[in-house]
Amino acid sequence: MDAFVSASREEAFGLAVVEALAAGLPVLHSACPAIDDLPAGQSPGARRIGGDAGELTAALQQQRQQMRTEGDVRRFSPPPVVSHYDIARSSERLMEVYAHALASTTTPSTKGACQ
């Protein structure tokens, strides 16, 4: 694959886009909250496009021309956005939530209990 396109106008997260970036593919996307919610520069190789078919066609033609000019398929290093959603990082954060939840629980009070 030379490029990845996600033309969906509505996405809950955009995991396929993140996976394409992790594979080093240039990405054209209409909606991807996983990327859109991060600071600029976190996802080089990804370009947001409108949902219009004409804009998508033009972006694909531009991508094709760029590949012809560079002479080969361009692959990117995985950008910082990929590590933001890395499974090891996600599981570490989840364990922190559990640790916090366990630390904040209190033992039930026996005050006023029948003996």
Side-chain angles (χ1 to χ4, degrees):
M1 185 177 297
D2 297 332
F4 180 82
V5 175
S6 177
S8 173
R9 293 179 187 194
E10 291 186 33
E11 283 289 336
F13 180 74
L15 181 60
V17 171
V18 174
E19 290 174 342
L21 288 171
L25 293 172
V27 172
L28 302 173
H29 66 93
S30 294
C32 181
I35 293 174
D36 295 339
D37 293 344
L38 295 173
Q42 290 290 303
S43 55
R47 190 170 99 201
R48 186 171 184 152
I49 56 171
D52 178 274
E55 188 176 345
L56 173 58
T57 301
L60 285 170
Q61 288 173 340
Q62 182 182 18
Q63 183 70 33
R64 183 176 178 200
Q65 183 59 40
Q66 182 180 359
M67 289 180 348
R68 282 183 178 170
T69 302
E70 294 175 4
D72 201 359
V73 176
R74 184 175 181 191
R75 296 284 188 228
F76 296 93
S77 296
V81 69
V82 171
S83 64
H84 184 79
Y85 297 112
D86 179 70
I87 189 66
R89 181 179 184 273
S90 296
S91 64
E92 186 177 298
R93 300 218 34 216
L94 181 59
M95 293 307 292
E96 290 171 6
V97 169
Y98 289 154
H100 179 73
L102 288 172
S104 64
T105 60
T106 59
T107 57
S109 173
T110 57
K111 186 176 182 180
C114 294
Q115 306 232 342

